[in-house]
Structure formats: structure tokens, C-alpha cells
PDB file of all heavy atoms in Angstrom:
ATOM      1  N   LYS R   1      73.311 148.174 -46.190  1.00 97.00           N
ATOM      2  CA  LYS R   1      72.513 148.384 -47.221  1.00 97.00           C
ATOM      3  C   LYS R   1      73.049 149.410 -48.252  1.00 97.00           C
ATOM      4  O   LYS R   1      73.388 150.452 -47.937  1.00 97.00           O
ATOM      5  CB  LYS R   1      71.009 148.774 -46.857  1.00 97.00           C
ATOM      6  CG  LYS R   1      70.037 148.848 -47.963  1.00 97.00           C
ATOM      7  CD  LYS R   1      68.769 149.335 -47.423  1.00 97.00           C
ATOM      8  CE  LYS R   1      67.806 149.429 -48.758  1.00 97.00           C
ATOM      9  NZ  LYS R   1      66.429 149.841 -48.410  1.00 97.00           N
ATOM     10  N   GLN R   2      73.226 148.940 -49.555  1.00 97.00           N
ATOM     11  CA  GLN R   2      73.489 149.801 -50.681  1.00 97.00           C
ATOM     12  C   GLN R   2      73.137 149.188 -51.968  1.00 97.00           C
ATOM     13  O   GLN R   2      72.978 147.914 -51.965  1.00 97.00           O
ATOM     14  CB  GLN R   2      75.051 150.194 -50.541  1.00 97.00           C
ATOM     15  CG  GLN R   2      75.938 149.088 -50.662  1.00 97.00           C
ATOM     16  CD  GLN R   2      77.415 149.394 -50.248  1.00 97.00           C
ATOM     17  OE1 GLN R   2      77.765 150.600 -50.245  1.00 97.00           O
ATOM     18  NE2 GLN R   2      78.183 148.334 -50.048  1.00 97.00           N
ATOM     19  N   PHE R   3      73.247 149.871 -53.055  1.00 96.00           N
ATOM     20  CA  PHE R   3      72.795 149.366 -54.369  1.00 96.00           C
ATOM     21  C   PHE R   3      71.338 148.823 -54.291  1.00 96.00           C
ATOM     22  O   PHE R   3      71.050 147.997 -55.061  1.00 96.00           O
ATOM     23  CB  PHE R   3      73.765 148.290 -54.917  1.00 96.00           C
ATOM     24  CG  PHE R   3      75.288 148.683 -54.935  1.00 96.00           C
ATOM     25  CD1 PHE R   3      76.158 148.078 -54.009  1.00 96.00           C
ATOM     26  CD2 PHE R   3      75.605 149.690 -55.825  1.00 96.00           C
ATOM     27  CE1 PHE R   3      77.524 148.443 -53.956  1.00 96.00           C
ATOM     28  CE2 PHE R   3      76.949 150.001 -55.785  1.00 96.00           C
ATOM     29  CZ  PHE R   3      77.855 149.460 -54.966  1.00 96.00           C
ATOM     30  N   GLY R   4      70.540 149.374 -53.483  1.00 96.00           N
ATOM     31  CA  GLY R   4      69.106 148.944 -53.373  1.00 96.00           C
ATOM     32  C   GLY R   4      69.082 147.452 -52.875  1.00 96.00           C
ATOM     33  O   GLY R   4      68.002 146.813 -52.935  1.00 96.00           O
ATOM     34  N   LYS R   5      70.103 146.880 -52.216  1.00 97.00           N
ATOM     35  CA  LYS R   5      70.145 145.559 -51.637  1.00 97.00           C
ATOM     36  C   LYS R   5      70.531 145.654 -50.118  1.00 97.00           C
ATOM     37  O   LYS R   5      71.267 146.487 -49.714  1.00 97.00           O
ATOM     38  CB  LYS R   5      71.090 144.659 -52.378  1.00 97.00           C
ATOM     39  CG  LYS R   5      70.684 144.610 -53.818  1.00 97.00           C
ATOM     40  CD  LYS R   5      71.510 143.588 -54.553  1.00 97.00           C
ATOM     41  CE  LYS R   5      70.985 143.412 -55.979  1.00 97.00           C
ATOM     42  NZ  LYS R   5      71.709 142.360 -56.740  1.00 97.00           N
ATOM     43  N   ARG R   6      69.984 144.613 -49.479  1.00 98.00           N
ATOM     44  CA  ARG R   6      70.226 144.522 -47.995  1.00 98.00           C
ATOM     45  C   ARG R   6      71.739 144.213 -47.591  1.00 98.00           C
ATOM     46  O   ARG R   6      72.487 143.771 -48.484  1.00 98.00           O
ATOM     47  CB  ARG R   6      69.312 143.451 -47.344  1.00 98.00           C
ATOM     48  CG  ARG R   6      69.709 142.112 -47.888  1.00 98.00           C
ATOM     49  CD  ARG R   6      68.876 140.891 -47.192  1.00 98.00           C
ATOM     50  NE  ARG R   6      69.148 139.730 -47.851  1.00 98.00           N
ATOM     51  CZ  ARG R   6      70.296 138.967 -47.777  1.00 98.00           C
ATOM     52  NH1 ARG R   6      71.310 139.326 -47.028  1.00 98.00           N
ATOM     53  NH2 ARG R   6      70.359 137.778 -48.430  1.00 98.00           N
ATOM     54  N   ALA R   7      72.010 144.425 -46.446  1.00 97.00           N
ATOM     55  CA  ALA R   7      73.458 143.999 -45.883  1.00 97.00           C
ATOM     56  C   ALA R   7      73.464 142.497 -46.031  1.00 97.00           C
ATOM     57  O   ALA R   7      72.525 141.826 -45.744  1.00 97.00           O
ATOM     58  CB  ALA R   7      73.578 144.438 -44.491  1.00 97.00           C
ATOM     59  N   GLY R   8      74.442 141.970 -46.446  1.00 97.00           N
ATOM     60  CA  GLY R   8      74.815 140.500 -46.563  1.00 97.00           C
ATOM     61  C   GLY R   8      74.406 140.106 -48.044  1.00 97.00           C
ATOM     62  O   GLY R   8      74.700 138.977 -48.351  1.00 97.00           O
ATOM     63  N   ALA R   9      73.852 140.906 -48.868  1.00 98.00           N
ATOM     64  CA  ALA R   9      73.546 140.410 -50.224  1.00 98.00           C
ATOM     65  C   ALA R   9      74.844 140.516 -51.084  1.00 98.00           C
ATOM     66  O   ALA R   9      75.544 141.491 -50.986  1.00 98.00           O
ATOM     67  CB  ALA R   9      72.443 141.437 -50.839  1.00 98.00           C
ATOM     68  N   VAL R  10      74.938 139.612 -52.043  1.00 98.00           N
ATOM     69  CA  VAL R  10      76.067 139.623 -53.044  1.00 98.00           C
ATOM     70  C   VAL R  10      75.734 140.745 -54.038  1.00 98.00           C
ATOM     71  O   VAL R  10      74.737 140.705 -54.583  1.00 98.00           O
ATOM     72  CB  VAL R  10      76.280 138.231 -53.707  1.00 98.00           C
ATOM     73  CG1 VAL R  10      77.243 138.302 -54.733  1.00 98.00           C
ATOM     74  CG2 VAL R  10      76.554 137.154 -52.653  1.00 98.00           C
ATOM     75  N   VAL R  11      76.666 141.643 -54.118  1.00 98.00           N
ATOM     76  CA  VAL R  11      76.510 142.827 -55.024  1.00 98.00           C
ATOM     77  C   VAL R  11      77.567 142.815 -56.217  1.00 98.00           C
ATOM     78  O   VAL R  11      77.373 143.779 -57.059  1.00 98.00           O
ATOM     79  CB  VAL R  11      76.509 144.128 -54.314  1.00 98.00           C
ATOM     80  CG1 VAL R  11      75.273 144.202 -53.385  1.00 98.00           C
ATOM     81  CG2 VAL R  11      77.791 144.312 -53.561  1.00 98.00           C
ATOM     82  N   GLY R  12      78.479 142.059 -56.189  1.00 98.00           N
ATOM     83  CA  GLY R  12      79.559 142.017 -57.293  1.00 98.00           C
ATOM     84  C   GLY R  12      80.620 140.999 -57.056  1.00 98.00           C
ATOM     85  O   GLY R  12      80.510 140.108 -56.253  1.00 98.00           O
ATOM     86  N   HIS R  13      81.762 141.237 -57.799  1.00 98.00           N
ATOM     87  CA  HIS R  13      82.896 140.401 -57.585  1.00 98.00           C
ATOM     88  C   HIS R  13      84.068 141.189 -58.060  1.00 98.00           C
ATOM     89  O   HIS R  13      84.069 142.236 -58.575  1.00 98.00           O
ATOM     90  CB  HIS R  13      82.720 139.091 -58.427  1.00 98.00           C
ATOM     91  CG  HIS R  13      82.564 139.406 -59.945  1.00 98.00           C
ATOM     92  ND1 HIS R  13      83.574 139.635 -60.810  1.00 98.00           N
ATOM     93  CD2 HIS R  13      81.368 139.544 -60.724  1.00 98.00           C
ATOM     94  CE1 HIS R  13      83.119 139.869 -61.968  1.00 98.00           C
ATOM     95  NE2 HIS R  13      81.759 139.832 -61.918  1.00 98.00           N
ATOM     96  N   ASP R  14      85.298 140.718 -57.579  1.00 98.00           N
ATOM     97  CA  ASP R  14      86.541 141.326 -58.109  1.00 98.00           C
ATOM     98  C   ASP R  14      87.542 140.080 -58.360  1.00 98.00           C
ATOM     99  O   ASP R  14      87.260 139.092 -58.057  1.00 98.00           O
ATOM    100  CB  ASP R  14      87.032 142.280 -56.969  1.00 98.00           C
ATOM    101  CG  ASP R  14      87.573 141.612 -55.683  1.00 98.00           C
ATOM    102  OD1 ASP R  14      87.755 140.297 -55.628  1.00 98.00           O
ATOM    103  OD2 ASP R  14      87.763 142.308 -54.844  1.00 98.00           O
ATOM    104  N   SER R  15      88.510 140.571 -59.069  1.00 97.00           N
ATOM    105  CA  SER R  15      89.657 139.567 -59.477  1.00 97.00           C
ATOM    106  C   SER R  15      90.872 140.420 -59.514  1.00 97.00           C
ATOM    107  O   SER R  15      90.832 141.700 -59.871  1.00 97.00           O
ATOM    108  CB  SER R  15      89.299 138.784 -60.703  1.00 97.00           C
ATOM    109  OG  SER R  15      89.204 139.736 -61.764  1.00 97.00           O
ATOM    110  N   GLY R  16      92.012 139.794 -59.212  1.00 97.00           N
ATOM    111  CA  GLY R  16      93.306 140.435 -59.358  1.00 97.00           C
ATOM    112  C   GLY R  16      94.517 139.475 -59.427  1.00 97.00           C
ATOM    113  O   GLY R  16      94.319 138.226 -59.125  1.00 97.00           O
ATOM    114  N   ILE R  17      95.559 140.028 -59.897  1.00 97.00           N
ATOM    115  CA  ILE R  17      96.834 139.251 -59.970  1.00 97.00           C
ATOM    116  C   ILE R  17      97.754 139.937 -58.945  1.00 97.00           C
ATOM    117  O   ILE R  17      98.007 141.225 -59.009  1.00 97.00           O
ATOM    118  CB  ILE R  17      97.420 139.254 -61.375  1.00 97.00           C
ATOM    119  CG1 ILE R  17      96.412 138.612 -62.315  1.00 97.00           C
ATOM    120  CG2 ILE R  17      98.715 138.535 -61.422  1.00 97.00           C
ATOM    121  CD1 ILE R  17      96.872 138.528 -63.696  1.00 97.00           C
ATOM    122  N   ILE R  18      98.204 139.157 -58.011  1.00 96.00           N
ATOM    123  CA  ILE R  18      99.199 139.502 -57.086  1.00 96.00           C
ATOM    124  C   ILE R  18     100.589 138.945 -57.429  1.00 96.00           C
ATOM    125  O   ILE R  18     100.681 137.826 -57.615  1.00 96.00           O
ATOM    126  CB  ILE R  18      98.776 139.076 -55.683  1.00 96.00           C
ATOM    127  CG1 ILE R  18      97.468 139.658 -55.273  1.00 96.00           C
ATOM    128  CG2 ILE R  18      99.848 139.430 -54.607  1.00 96.00           C
ATOM    129  CD1 ILE R  18      96.844 138.956 -53.979  1.00 96.00           C
ATOM    130  N   VAL R  19     101.651 139.873 -57.404  1.00 97.00           N
ATOM    131  CA  VAL R  19     102.994 139.407 -57.589  1.00 97.00           C
ATOM    132  C   VAL R  19     103.662 139.693 -56.333  1.00 97.00           C
ATOM    133  O   VAL R  19     103.741 140.775 -55.798  1.00 97.00           O
ATOM    134  CB  VAL R  19     103.636 140.150 -58.783  1.00 97.00           C
ATOM    135  CG1 VAL R  19     105.097 139.659 -58.905  1.00 97.00           C
ATOM    136  CG2 VAL R  19     102.931 139.973 -60.053  1.00 97.00           C
ATOM    137  N   ARG R  20     104.289 138.667 -55.718  1.00 96.00           N
ATOM    138  CA  ARG R  20     104.966 138.759 -54.515  1.00 96.00           C
ATOM    139  C   ARG R  20     106.295 139.539 -54.735  1.00 96.00           C
ATOM    140  O   ARG R  20     107.087 139.180 -55.651  1.00 96.00           O
ATOM    141  CB  ARG R  20     105.378 137.460 -53.897  1.00 96.00           C
ATOM    142  CG  ARG R  20     106.093 137.472 -52.628  1.00 96.00           C
ATOM    143  CD  ARG R  20     106.352 136.015 -51.994  1.00 96.00           C
ATOM    144  NE  ARG R  20     105.329 135.417 -51.525  1.00 96.00           N
ATOM    145  CZ  ARG R  20     104.742 135.619 -50.193  1.00 96.00           C
ATOM    146  NH1 ARG R  20     105.530 136.272 -49.381  1.00 96.00           N
ATOM    147  NH2 ARG R  20     103.661 134.960 -49.712  1.00 96.00           N
ATOM    148  N   THR R  21     106.482 140.664 -53.899  1.00 96.00           N
ATOM    149  CA  THR R  21     107.717 141.430 -54.024  1.00 96.00           C
ATOM    150  C   THR R  21     108.621 141.393 -52.727  1.00 96.00           C
ATOM    151  O   THR R  21     109.682 141.931 -52.827  1.00 96.00           O
ATOM    152  CB  THR R  21     107.279 142.947 -54.331  1.00 96.00           C
ATOM    153  OG1 THR R  21     106.546 143.361 -53.259  1.00 96.00           O
ATOM    154  CG2 THR R  21     106.587 143.054 -55.621  1.00 96.00           C
ATOM    155  N   GLY R  22     108.148 140.701 -51.798  1.00 94.00           N
ATOM    156  CA  GLY R  22     108.775 140.453 -50.493  1.00 94.00           C
ATOM    157  C   GLY R  22     108.272 139.534 -49.662  1.00 94.00           C
ATOM    158  O   GLY R  22     107.149 139.042 -49.962  1.00 94.00           O
ATOM    159  N   ALA R  23     108.759 139.213 -48.518  1.00 91.00           N
ATOM    160  CA  ALA R  23     108.250 138.270 -47.586  1.00 91.00           C
ATOM    161  C   ALA R  23     106.812 138.541 -47.122  1.00 91.00           C
ATOM    162  O   ALA R  23     106.007 137.709 -47.023  1.00 91.00           O
ATOM    163  CB  ALA R  23     109.226 138.076 -46.329  1.00 91.00           C
ATOM    164  N   ARG R  24     106.552 139.860 -47.041  1.00 90.00           N
ATOM    165  CA  ARG R  24     105.127 140.346 -46.563  1.00 90.00           C
ATOM    166  C   ARG R  24     104.599 141.275 -47.477  1.00 90.00           C
ATOM    167  O   ARG R  24     103.753 142.133 -47.002  1.00 90.00           O
ATOM    168  CB  ARG R  24     105.308 140.964 -45.121  1.00 90.00           C
ATOM    169  CG  ARG R  24     105.750 139.779 -44.186  1.00 90.00           C
ATOM    170  CD  ARG R  24     105.888 140.302 -42.857  1.00 90.00           C
ATOM    171  NE  ARG R  24     106.353 139.300 -41.970  1.00 90.00           N
ATOM    172  CZ  ARG R  24     106.563 139.511 -40.658  1.00 90.00           C
ATOM    173  NH1 ARG R  24     106.524 140.676 -40.133  1.00 90.00           N
ATOM    174  NH2 ARG R  24     107.033 138.430 -39.826  1.00 90.00           N
ATOM    175  N   SER R  25     104.924 141.279 -48.744  1.00 91.00           N
ATOM    176  CA  SER R  25     104.448 142.430 -49.608  1.00 91.00           C
ATOM    177  C   SER R  25     104.283 141.961 -51.039  1.00 91.00           C
ATOM    178  O   SER R  25     104.881 140.894 -51.429  1.00 91.00           O
ATOM    179  CB  SER R  25     105.365 143.638 -49.610  1.00 91.00           C
ATOM    180  OG  SER R  25     106.546 143.359 -50.051  1.00 91.00           O
ATOM    181  N   GLY R  26     103.405 142.578 -51.769  1.00 94.00           N
ATOM    182  CA  GLY R  26     103.233 142.343 -53.206  1.00 94.00           C
ATOM    183  C   GLY R  26     102.674 143.547 -53.972  1.00 94.00           C
ATOM    184  O   GLY R  26     102.408 144.566 -53.292  1.00 94.00           O
ATOM    185  N   MET R  27     102.487 143.328 -55.166  1.00 96.00           N
ATOM    186  CA  MET R  27     101.922 144.312 -56.049  1.00 96.00           C
ATOM    187  C   MET R  27     100.599 143.684 -56.602  1.00 96.00           C
ATOM    188  O   MET R  27     100.721 142.462 -56.900  1.00 96.00           O
ATOM    189  CB  MET R  27     102.734 144.726 -57.242  1.00 96.00           C
ATOM    190  CG  MET R  27     104.047 145.540 -56.766  1.00 96.00           C
ATOM    191  SD  MET R  27     103.705 147.031 -56.034  1.00 96.00           S
ATOM    192  CE  MET R  27     103.063 147.951 -57.474  1.00 96.00           C
ATOM    193  N   ILE R  28      99.519 144.406 -56.739  1.00 96.00           N
ATOM    194  CA  ILE R  28      98.335 143.878 -57.261  1.00 96.00           C
ATOM    195  C   ILE R  28      97.712 144.839 -58.336  1.00 96.00           C
ATOM    196  O   ILE R  28      97.852 146.011 -58.267  1.00 96.00           O
ATOM    197  CB  ILE R  28      97.187 143.684 -56.178  1.00 96.00           C
ATOM    198  CG1 ILE R  28      95.930 143.062 -56.637  1.00 96.00           C
ATOM    199  CG2 ILE R  28      96.893 145.062 -55.512  1.00 96.00           C
ATOM    200  CD1 ILE R  28      94.962 142.538 -55.557  1.00 96.00           C
ATOM    201  N   VAL R  29      97.153 144.173 -59.348  1.00 98.00           N
ATOM    202  CA  VAL R  29      96.344 144.850 -60.502  1.00 98.00           C
ATOM    203  C   VAL R  29      95.058 144.074 -60.388  1.00 98.00           C
ATOM    204  O   VAL R  29      95.045 142.749 -60.523  1.00 98.00           O
ATOM    205  CB  VAL R  29      97.052 144.734 -61.765  1.00 98.00           C
ATOM    206  CG1 VAL R  29      96.232 145.277 -62.896  1.00 98.00           C
ATOM    207  CG2 VAL R  29      98.377 145.354 -61.701  1.00 98.00           C
ATOM    208  N   GLY R  30      94.047 144.895 -60.431  1.00 98.00           N
ATOM    209  CA  GLY R  30      92.704 144.150 -60.346  1.00 98.00           C
ATOM    210  C   GLY R  30      91.479 144.946 -60.925  1.00 98.00           C
ATOM    211  O   GLY R  30      91.653 146.082 -61.264  1.00 98.00           O
ATOM    212  N   VAL R  31      90.328 144.351 -60.874  1.00 98.00           N
ATOM    213  CA  VAL R  31      89.151 145.019 -61.316  1.00 98.00           C
ATOM    214  C   VAL R  31      87.971 144.426 -60.476  1.00 98.00           C
ATOM    215  O   VAL R  31      87.876 143.266 -60.094  1.00 98.00           O
ATOM    216  CB  VAL R  31      88.877 144.759 -62.792  1.00 98.00           C
ATOM    217  CG1 VAL R  31      88.673 143.259 -63.119  1.00 98.00           C
ATOM    218  CG2 VAL R  31      87.750 145.606 -63.302  1.00 98.00           C
ATOM    219  N   THR R  32      87.117 145.423 -60.123  1.00 98.00           N
ATOM    220  CA  THR R  32      85.962 145.126 -59.290  1.00 98.00           C
ATOM    221  C   THR R  32      84.677 145.398 -60.259  1.00 98.00           C
ATOM    222  O   THR R  32      84.613 146.317 -60.913  1.00 98.00           O
ATOM    223  CB  THR R  32      85.904 146.017 -58.122  1.00 98.00           C
ATOM    224  OG1 THR R  32      87.001 145.812 -57.277  1.00 98.00           O
ATOM    225  CG2 THR R  32      84.520 145.809 -57.270  1.00 98.00           C
ATOM    226  N   THR R  33      83.721 144.452 -60.197  1.00 98.00           N
ATOM    227  CA  THR R  33      82.406 144.647 -60.894  1.00 98.00           C
ATOM    228  C   THR R  33      81.384 144.812 -59.887  1.00 98.00           C
ATOM    229  O   THR R  33      81.127 143.996 -58.976  1.00 98.00           O
ATOM    230  CB  THR R  33      82.195 143.431 -61.835  1.00 98.00           C
ATOM    231  OG1 THR R  33      83.313 143.329 -62.790  1.00 98.00           O
ATOM    232  CG2 THR R  33      80.874 143.584 -62.581  1.00 98.00           C
ATOM    233  N   LEU R  34      80.687 145.921 -59.914  1.00 98.00           N
ATOM    234  CA  LEU R  34      79.532 146.285 -59.140  1.00 98.00           C
ATOM    235  C   LEU R  34      78.393 146.791 -59.910  1.00 98.00           C
ATOM    236  O   LEU R  34      78.650 147.106 -61.120  1.00 98.00           O
ATOM    237  CB  LEU R  34      80.010 147.416 -58.042  1.00 98.00           C
ATOM    238  CG  LEU R  34      81.033 147.031 -57.109  1.00 98.00           C
ATOM    239  CD1 LEU R  34      81.611 148.208 -56.321  1.00 98.00           C
ATOM    240  CD2 LEU R  34      80.626 146.130 -56.017  1.00 98.00           C
ATOM    241  N   PRO R  35      77.277 146.898 -59.291  1.00 97.00           N
ATOM    242  CA  PRO R  35      76.101 147.501 -60.120  1.00 97.00           C
ATOM    243  C   PRO R  35      76.578 148.751 -60.657  1.00 97.00           C
ATOM    244  O   PRO R  35      77.004 149.682 -60.030  1.00 97.00           O
ATOM    245  CB  PRO R  35      75.001 147.618 -59.036  1.00 97.00           C
ATOM    246  CG  PRO R  35      75.378 146.540 -58.107  1.00 97.00           C
ATOM    247  CD  PRO R  35      76.796 146.497 -58.033  1.00 97.00           C
ATOM    248  N   GLY R  36      76.358 148.967 -62.026  1.00 96.00           N
ATOM    249  CA  GLY R  36      76.660 150.143 -62.653  1.00 96.00           C
ATOM    250  C   GLY R  36      77.928 150.150 -63.430  1.00 96.00           C
ATOM    251  O   GLY R  36      78.236 151.173 -64.120  1.00 96.00           O
ATOM    252  N   GLY R  37      78.883 149.163 -63.172  1.00 98.00           N
ATOM    253  CA  GLY R  37      80.123 149.195 -63.939  1.00 98.00           C
ATOM    254  C   GLY R  37      81.203 148.561 -63.270  1.00 98.00           C
ATOM    255  O   GLY R  37      81.025 147.804 -62.363  1.00 98.00           O
TER     256      GLY R  37
END
């Protein structure tokens, strides 16, 4: 429970761009949207 909502409630979303830099690695740039910003 957080943001005034129960566990299991959808509270936001995120998105990102991953660029593969190796067989098991990458670089990511992203943004998360949650209540408040």
C-alpha cells in the first residue's frame, strides 16, 4: 500500500529505450510516471 492505494493497484507507468552494449548488458534511458510527477 502506497500513494493511498492498495497493494496490487496500478499506480503509474514507465518507458525506456535500451541499447544493447554486450551479450548480457545494455544502457537505458527512461522515465517513470507516478502520482505527483
Side-chain angles (χ1 to χ4, degrees):
K1 183 179 178 183
Q2 59 190 346
F3 304 113
K5 296 186 179 187
R6 65 174 172 71
V10 175
V11 292
H13 58 86
D14 67 16
S15 59
I17 297 175
I18 301 167
V19 177
R20 183 180 281 273
T21 58
R24 297 180 179 175
S25 62
M27 295 293 293
I28 186 170
V29 174
V31 64
T32 298
T33 301
L34 293 169

